[in-house]
Amino acid sequence: MKFGLITITLFLMSFITKDVKSYVFKHPKKKKVTVLLESENLGKFKKEKRGGDFYYSNLSNLGKNNINCSVLFYKLNKDEITNLVEMPKMIMGGPDTSPAYPLAYFSNYSKLKKIESNNSQWGKPDGDFMYRQADIKEIQGQKINQKHMYAYSMIDGDMFVNIHLSKINCKAKDSTKMKAILDGFKLIK
């Protein structure tokens, strides 16, 4: 009897829709390309132009999971195109655009690199996104158990996309939610 009630309850719960929201992220000068996210509510995003870059952040208005989320469209200058795209492409015999290029750049030049642990990367260099995750267990002796997850993409030959999620006091279930959010990002060309 209990098993039957549990089964019926789980079946009925599958029809209850979650608070799913669509988020659209665009760079004003790259309107033909959109980063789309279908996710649980992450709150409102603030837009900010930073020179040639464009930044979206929910830091001031987090959703119900208290997960920080930001999307950075990073415009490469001529020297960066040479050093971060053309040189690695030549060395690796890689494609003109690849998420591996922004993954390498942002991983190597992260301000948090010295205090990160449990680093891992996944994804394919010929896909739309590559991913990275790292933990920060403590800062200056203060335990924080912060999880950071990233998705990287490249638009045309001159723009990197850095998607960043983070959560302080992250538990295993939070990490699973963050991974699901990353999996919800799509690049629409």
Side-chain angles (χ1 to χ4, degrees), residues 85-130:
V85 178
E86 292 174 0
M87 289 176 91
K89 178 176 81 172
M90 214 171 20
I91 293 167
M92 299 179 342
D96 290 338
T97 62
S98 172
Y101 304 142
L103 171 83
Y105 172 71
F106 289 112
S107 298
N108 287 320
Y109 295 100
S110 168
K111 293 177 184 177
L112 304 173
K113 186 176 179 176
K114 292 180 182 178
I115 56 175
E116 291 178 339
S117 63
N118 192 29
N119 287 291
S120 63
Q121 300 175 358
W122 65 98
K124 295 181 181 180
D126 60 350
D128 285 337
F129 292 99
M130 288 192 74

Short mmCIF file of all heavy atoms in Angstrom, two decimals, residues 85-130:
data_model
loop_
_atom_site.label_atom_id
_atom_site.label_comp_id
_atom_site.label_asym_id
_atom_site.label_seq_id
_atom_site.Cartn_x
_atom_site.Cartn_y
_atom_site.Cartn_z
N VAL A 85 44.49 32.96 -29.77
CA VAL A 85 43.75 32.17 -30.75
C VAL A 85 44.69 31.66 -31.85
O VAL A 85 44.82 30.45 -32.04
CB VAL A 85 42.59 32.98 -31.37
CG1 VAL A 85 41.85 32.16 -32.42
CG2 VAL A 85 41.62 33.44 -30.29
N GLU A 86 45.33 32.58 -32.55
CA GLU A 86 46.13 32.18 -33.71
C GLU A 86 47.33 31.31 -33.34
O GLU A 86 47.60 30.31 -34.01
CB GLU A 86 46.55 33.41 -34.51
CG GLU A 86 45.36 34.09 -35.18
CD GLU A 86 45.71 35.39 -35.88
OE1 GLU A 86 46.89 35.81 -35.87
OE2 GLU A 86 44.77 36.01 -36.44
N MET A 87 48.06 31.67 -32.28
CA MET A 87 49.23 30.87 -31.90
C MET A 87 48.83 29.46 -31.43
O MET A 87 49.39 28.48 -31.91
CB MET A 87 50.06 31.60 -30.86
CG MET A 87 50.80 32.79 -31.45
SD MET A 87 51.71 33.72 -30.22
CE MET A 87 53.27 32.89 -30.31
N PRO A 88 47.86 29.35 -30.49
CA PRO A 88 47.46 27.99 -30.10
C PRO A 88 46.89 27.19 -31.28
O PRO A 88 47.14 25.99 -31.39
CB PRO A 88 46.37 28.21 -29.04
CG PRO A 88 46.58 29.59 -28.55
CD PRO A 88 47.20 30.36 -29.68
N LYS A 89 46.16 27.86 -32.17
CA LYS A 89 45.60 27.19 -33.34
C LYS A 89 46.72 26.62 -34.20
O LYS A 89 46.65 25.48 -34.67
CB LYS A 89 44.75 28.18 -34.14
CG LYS A 89 44.15 27.59 -35.40
CD LYS A 89 43.26 28.57 -36.11
CE LYS A 89 44.08 29.53 -36.93
NZ LYS A 89 43.32 30.40 -37.80
N MET A 90 47.78 27.40 -34.38
CA MET A 90 48.91 26.96 -35.18
C MET A 90 49.65 25.80 -34.50
O MET A 90 49.97 24.79 -35.14
CB MET A 90 49.89 28.13 -35.39
CG MET A 90 50.58 28.11 -36.70
SD MET A 90 51.53 29.61 -37.09
CE MET A 90 51.84 30.42 -35.57
N ILE A 91 49.87 25.92 -33.20
CA ILE A 91 50.59 24.88 -32.45
C ILE A 91 49.82 23.57 -32.42
O ILE A 91 50.37 22.49 -32.63
CB ILE A 91 50.89 25.36 -31.01
CG1 ILE A 91 51.89 26.51 -31.05
CG2 ILE A 91 51.40 24.23 -30.14
CD1 ILE A 91 52.03 27.26 -29.74
N MET A 92 48.52 23.66 -32.16
CA MET A 92 47.68 22.46 -32.03
C MET A 92 47.07 22.01 -33.35
O MET A 92 46.49 20.94 -33.43
CB MET A 92 46.53 22.72 -31.04
CG MET A 92 46.98 23.06 -29.66
SD MET A 92 45.66 23.39 -28.45
CE MET A 92 44.21 23.72 -29.36
N GLY A 93 47.18 22.85 -34.37
CA GLY A 93 46.50 22.53 -35.62
C GLY A 93 44.99 22.55 -35.44
O GLY A 93 44.26 21.77 -36.02
N GLY A 94 44.56 23.48 -34.58
CA GLY A 94 43.15 23.53 -34.20
C GLY A 94 42.28 24.33 -35.15
O GLY A 94 42.76 24.91 -36.13
N PRO A 95 41.00 24.39 -34.85
CA PRO A 95 40.05 25.14 -35.68
C PRO A 95 40.18 26.65 -35.45
O PRO A 95 40.86 27.08 -34.52
CB PRO A 95 38.69 24.64 -35.18
CG PRO A 95 38.94 24.24 -33.76
CD PRO A 95 40.35 23.72 -33.73
N ASP A 96 39.50 27.43 -36.29
CA ASP A 96 39.53 28.89 -36.17
C ASP A 96 38.89 29.35 -34.85
O ASP A 96 39.35 30.29 -34.23
CB ASP A 96 38.81 29.56 -37.34
CG ASP A 96 39.59 29.41 -38.64
OD1 ASP A 96 40.81 29.18 -38.58
OD2 ASP A 96 38.96 29.51 -39.71
N THR A 97 37.79 28.71 -34.47
CA THR A 97 37.15 29.02 -33.20
C THR A 97 36.97 27.72 -32.42
O THR A 97 36.67 26.68 -32.99
CB THR A 97 35.77 29.70 -33.38
OG1 THR A 97 34.90 28.80 -34.06
CG2 THR A 97 35.89 31.00 -34.14
N SER A 98 37.19 27.81 -31.11
CA SER A 98 37.04 26.64 -30.25
C SER A 98 36.85 27.10 -28.82
O SER A 98 37.50 28.06 -28.38
CB SER A 98 38.29 25.76 -30.34
OG SER A 98 38.23 24.73 -29.36
N PRO A 99 36.02 26.42 -28.04
CA PRO A 99 35.90 26.76 -26.63
C PRO A 99 37.17 26.43 -25.85
O PRO A 99 37.34 26.88 -24.72
CB PRO A 99 34.71 25.92 -26.15
CG PRO A 99 34.62 24.78 -27.11
CD PRO A 99 35.11 25.33 -28.42
N ALA A 100 38.08 25.67 -26.46
CA ALA A 100 39.35 25.35 -25.80
C ALA A 100 40.21 26.60 -25.60
O ALA A 100 40.96 26.70 -24.63
CB ALA A 100 40.12 24.31 -26.60
N TYR A 101 40.10 27.57 -26.51
CA TYR A 101 40.90 28.79 -26.40
C TYR A 101 40.51 29.61 -25.18
O TYR A 101 41.38 29.98 -24.38
CB TYR A 101 40.83 29.61 -27.69
CG TYR A 101 41.25 28.85 -28.94
CD1 TYR A 101 40.58 29.05 -30.13
CD2 TYR A 101 42.28 27.92 -28.92
CE1 TYR A 101 40.94 28.36 -31.29
CE2 TYR A 101 42.65 27.22 -30.07
CZ TYR A 101 41.97 27.44 -31.24
OH TYR A 101 42.33 26.76 -32.37
N PRO A 102 39.22 29.93 -24.97
CA PRO A 102 38.88 30.67 -23.75
C PRO A 102 39.07 29.83 -22.48
O PRO A 102 39.43 30.37 -21.44
CB PRO A 102 37.41 31.07 -23.94
CG PRO A 102 36.89 30.21 -25.02
CD PRO A 102 38.06 29.82 -25.87
N LEU A 103 38.88 28.51 -22.55
CA LEU A 103 39.13 27.65 -21.40
C LEU A 103 40.58 27.79 -20.95
O LEU A 103 40.85 28.00 -19.77
CB LEU A 103 38.81 26.19 -21.73
CG LEU A 103 39.25 25.18 -20.66
CD1 LEU A 103 38.22 25.09 -19.55
CD2 LEU A 103 39.48 23.82 -21.28
N ALA A 104 41.50 27.70 -21.90
CA ALA A 104 42.93 27.83 -21.57
C ALA A 104 43.24 29.21 -21.00
O ALA A 104 43.92 29.34 -19.99
CB ALA A 104 43.78 27.56 -22.82
N TYR A 105 42.72 30.24 -21.63
CA TYR A 105 43.01 31.60 -21.17
C TYR A 105 42.47 31.85 -19.76
O TYR A 105 43.22 32.25 -18.86
CB TYR A 105 42.42 32.63 -22.14
CG TYR A 105 42.51 34.04 -21.63
CD1 TYR A 105 43.74 34.69 -21.54
CD2 TYR A 105 41.37 34.72 -21.21
CE1 TYR A 105 43.83 35.99 -21.04
CE2 TYR A 105 41.46 36.02 -20.73
CZ TYR A 105 42.68 36.64 -20.63
OH TYR A 105 42.76 37.92 -20.13
N PHE A 106 41.18 31.64 -19.55
CA PHE A 106 40.59 31.96 -18.26
C PHE A 106 41.07 31.03 -17.14
O PHE A 106 41.16 31.45 -15.99
CB PHE A 106 39.06 31.97 -18.34
CG PHE A 106 38.51 33.13 -19.11
CD1 PHE A 106 37.87 32.96 -20.32
CD2 PHE A 106 38.63 34.43 -18.62
CE1 PHE A 106 37.36 34.03 -21.03
CE2 PHE A 106 38.13 35.52 -19.33
CZ PHE A 106 37.49 35.31 -20.54
N SER A 107 41.42 29.80 -17.47
CA SER A 107 41.95 28.88 -16.45
C SER A 107 43.33 29.31 -15.99
O SER A 107 43.65 29.28 -14.80
CB SER A 107 42.05 27.45 -17.01
OG SER A 107 40.79 26.96 -17.34
N ASN A 108 44.17 29.70 -16.94
CA ASN A 108 45.54 30.08 -16.61
C ASN A 108 45.66 31.44 -15.95
O ASN A 108 46.59 31.68 -15.19
CB ASN A 108 46.42 30.03 -17.86
CG ASN A 108 46.70 28.61 -18.28
OD1 ASN A 108 46.93 27.74 -17.46
ND2 ASN A 108 46.64 28.36 -19.57
N TYR A 109 44.72 32.34 -16.24
CA TYR A 109 44.82 33.70 -15.71
C TYR A 109 43.77 34.00 -14.64
O TYR A 109 43.51 35.16 -14.34
CB TYR A 109 44.78 34.73 -16.84
CG TYR A 109 45.99 34.60 -17.74
CD1 TYR A 109 45.92 33.93 -18.95
CD2 TYR A 109 47.22 35.12 -17.34
CE1 TYR A 109 47.04 33.79 -19.75
CE2 TYR A 109 48.34 34.98 -18.14
CZ TYR A 109 48.24 34.31 -19.34
OH TYR A 109 49.35 34.18 -20.14
N SER A 110 43.20 32.98 -14.06
CA SER A 110 42.22 33.16 -12.99
C SER A 110 42.88 33.79 -11.76
O SER A 110 43.95 33.34 -11.34
CB SER A 110 41.61 31.80 -12.61
OG SER A 110 40.87 31.91 -11.43
N LYS A 111 42.22 34.79 -11.19
CA LYS A 111 42.72 35.42 -9.97
C LYS A 111 42.66 34.44 -8.79
O LYS A 111 43.34 34.62 -7.80
CB LYS A 111 41.92 36.67 -9.65
CG LYS A 111 42.10 37.78 -10.65
CD LYS A 111 41.23 38.98 -10.32
CE LYS A 111 41.36 40.04 -11.38
NZ LYS A 111 40.48 41.18 -11.14
N LEU A 112 41.84 33.42 -8.91
CA LEU A 112 41.65 32.45 -7.83
C LEU A 112 42.52 31.21 -7.98
O LEU A 112 42.51 30.34 -7.11
CB LEU A 112 40.17 32.01 -7.79
CG LEU A 112 39.15 33.13 -7.64
CD1 LEU A 112 37.74 32.57 -7.80
CD2 LEU A 112 39.32 33.83 -6.30
N LYS A 113 43.29 31.12 -9.03
CA LYS A 113 44.04 29.90 -9.38
C LYS A 113 44.88 29.37 -8.20
O LYS A 113 44.92 28.16 -7.98
CB LYS A 113 44.94 30.18 -10.58
CG LYS A 113 45.65 28.94 -11.10
CD LYS A 113 46.44 29.25 -12.34
CE LYS A 113 47.15 27.99 -12.80
NZ LYS A 113 47.85 28.18 -14.05
N LYS A 114 45.50 30.23 -7.45
CA LYS A 114 46.39 29.80 -6.36
C LYS A 114 45.65 29.11 -5.21
O LYS A 114 46.24 28.33 -4.49
CB LYS A 114 47.17 30.99 -5.81
CG LYS A 114 48.19 31.54 -6.77
CD LYS A 114 48.92 32.72 -6.18
CE LYS A 114 49.89 33.29 -7.19
NZ LYS A 114 50.60 34.46 -6.68
N ILE A 115 44.37 29.41 -5.05
CA ILE A 115 43.64 28.82 -3.92
C ILE A 115 42.60 27.78 -4.36
O ILE A 115 41.86 27.26 -3.54
CB ILE A 115 42.98 29.91 -3.05
CG1 ILE A 115 42.05 30.80 -3.89
CG2 ILE A 115 44.03 30.74 -2.34
CD1 ILE A 115 41.27 31.82 -3.07
N GLU A 116 42.57 27.46 -5.66
CA GLU A 116 41.63 26.47 -6.16
C GLU A 116 42.14 25.05 -5.91
O GLU A 116 43.34 24.79 -5.94
CB GLU A 116 41.42 26.65 -7.67
CG GLU A 116 40.68 27.90 -8.04
CD GLU A 116 40.53 28.08 -9.55
OE1 GLU A 116 41.30 27.47 -10.32
OE2 GLU A 116 39.65 28.86 -9.93
N SER A 117 41.20 24.15 -5.69
CA SER A 117 41.50 22.72 -5.58
C SER A 117 40.41 21.95 -6.31
O SER A 117 39.41 22.52 -6.71
CB SER A 117 41.58 22.30 -4.11
OG SER A 117 40.33 22.47 -3.48
N ASN A 118 40.61 20.64 -6.43
CA ASN A 118 39.62 19.77 -7.06
C ASN A 118 39.23 20.26 -8.45
O ASN A 118 38.06 20.27 -8.82
CB ASN A 118 38.38 19.65 -6.15
CG ASN A 118 37.44 18.55 -6.61
OD1 ASN A 118 37.86 17.56 -7.18
ND2 ASN A 118 36.16 18.73 -6.35
N ASN A 119 40.23 20.68 -9.22
CA ASN A 119 40.00 21.17 -10.57
C ASN A 119 39.67 20.03 -11.53
O ASN A 119 40.28 18.97 -11.45
CB ASN A 119 41.25 21.88 -11.11
CG ASN A 119 41.45 23.22 -10.46
OD1 ASN A 119 40.68 24.13 -10.69
ND2 ASN A 119 42.49 23.33 -9.64
N SER A 120 38.72 20.25 -12.39
CA SER A 120 38.45 19.31 -13.48
C SER A 120 37.89 20.06 -14.67
O SER A 120 37.32 21.15 -14.52
CB SER A 120 37.50 18.20 -13.03
OG SER A 120 36.25 18.72 -12.67
N GLN A 121 38.09 19.48 -15.85
CA GLN A 121 37.63 20.07 -17.09
C GLN A 121 36.93 19.00 -17.91
O GLN A 121 37.26 17.82 -17.81
CB GLN A 121 38.80 20.60 -17.92
CG GLN A 121 39.61 21.67 -17.23
CD GLN A 121 40.84 22.06 -18.05
OE1 GLN A 121 41.11 21.52 -19.10
NE2 GLN A 121 41.60 23.01 -17.54
N TRP A 122 35.96 19.41 -18.72
CA TRP A 122 35.29 18.47 -19.60
C TRP A 122 34.72 19.21 -20.80
O TRP A 122 34.67 20.42 -20.82
CB TRP A 122 34.22 17.67 -18.85
CG TRP A 122 33.04 18.46 -18.33
CD1 TRP A 122 31.83 18.58 -18.94
CD2 TRP A 122 32.95 19.20 -17.11
NE1 TRP A 122 30.99 19.37 -18.18
CE2 TRP A 122 31.66 19.76 -17.04
CE3 TRP A 122 33.84 19.48 -16.06
CZ2 TRP A 122 31.23 20.55 -15.99
CZ3 TRP A 122 33.41 20.27 -15.01
CH2 TRP A 122 32.12 20.80 -14.98
N GLY A 123 34.30 18.45 -21.77
CA GLY A 123 33.77 19.01 -23.00
C GLY A 123 34.72 18.75 -24.15
O GLY A 123 35.83 18.27 -23.97
N LYS A 124 34.25 19.07 -25.36
CA LYS A 124 35.03 18.80 -26.57
C LYS A 124 35.44 20.11 -27.23
O LYS A 124 34.63 21.02 -27.35
CB LYS A 124 34.21 17.96 -27.54
CG LYS A 124 33.90 16.58 -27.00
CD LYS A 124 33.11 15.77 -27.99
CE LYS A 124 32.79 14.41 -27.40
NZ LYS A 124 32.03 13.59 -28.32
N PRO A 125 36.70 20.19 -27.69
CA PRO A 125 37.18 21.41 -28.33
C PRO A 125 36.42 21.79 -29.60
O PRO A 125 36.47 22.93 -30.03
CB PRO A 125 38.64 21.11 -28.67
CG PRO A 125 39.00 19.90 -27.90
CD PRO A 125 37.74 19.18 -27.57
N ASP A 126 35.71 20.84 -30.19
CA ASP A 126 34.95 21.16 -31.40
C ASP A 126 33.46 21.38 -31.10
O ASP A 126 32.66 21.55 -32.01
CB ASP A 126 35.13 20.07 -32.46
CG ASP A 126 34.66 18.70 -31.99
OD1 ASP A 126 34.37 18.53 -30.79
OD2 ASP A 126 34.59 17.79 -32.84
N GLY A 127 33.09 21.43 -29.82
CA GLY A 127 31.71 21.69 -29.43
C GLY A 127 31.47 23.18 -29.23
O GLY A 127 32.35 24.01 -29.49
N ASP A 128 30.28 23.53 -28.76
CA ASP A 128 29.97 24.93 -28.48
C ASP A 128 30.56 25.39 -27.16
O ASP A 128 30.90 26.56 -27.00
CB ASP A 128 28.44 25.15 -28.45
CG ASP A 128 27.83 25.16 -29.84
OD1 ASP A 128 28.56 25.44 -30.83
OD2 ASP A 128 26.62 24.89 -29.94
N PHE A 129 30.64 24.48 -26.17
CA PHE A 129 31.14 24.83 -24.85
C PHE A 129 32.15 23.82 -24.35
O PHE A 129 32.06 22.63 -24.66
CB PHE A 129 30.00 24.87 -23.82
CG PHE A 129 29.01 25.97 -24.02
CD1 PHE A 129 27.80 25.74 -24.65
CD2 PHE A 129 29.27 27.26 -23.56
CE1 PHE A 129 26.87 26.75 -24.84
CE2 PHE A 129 28.35 28.28 -23.74
CZ PHE A 129 27.16 28.03 -24.38
N MET A 130 33.09 24.29 -23.54
CA MET A 130 33.93 23.44 -22.69
C MET A 130 33.71 23.95 -21.27
O MET A 130 33.33 25.11 -21.06
CB MET A 130 35.39 23.50 -23.10
CG MET A 130 35.64 22.78 -24.42
SD MET A 130 37.39 22.52 -24.77
CE MET A 130 37.77 21.20 -23.61
#
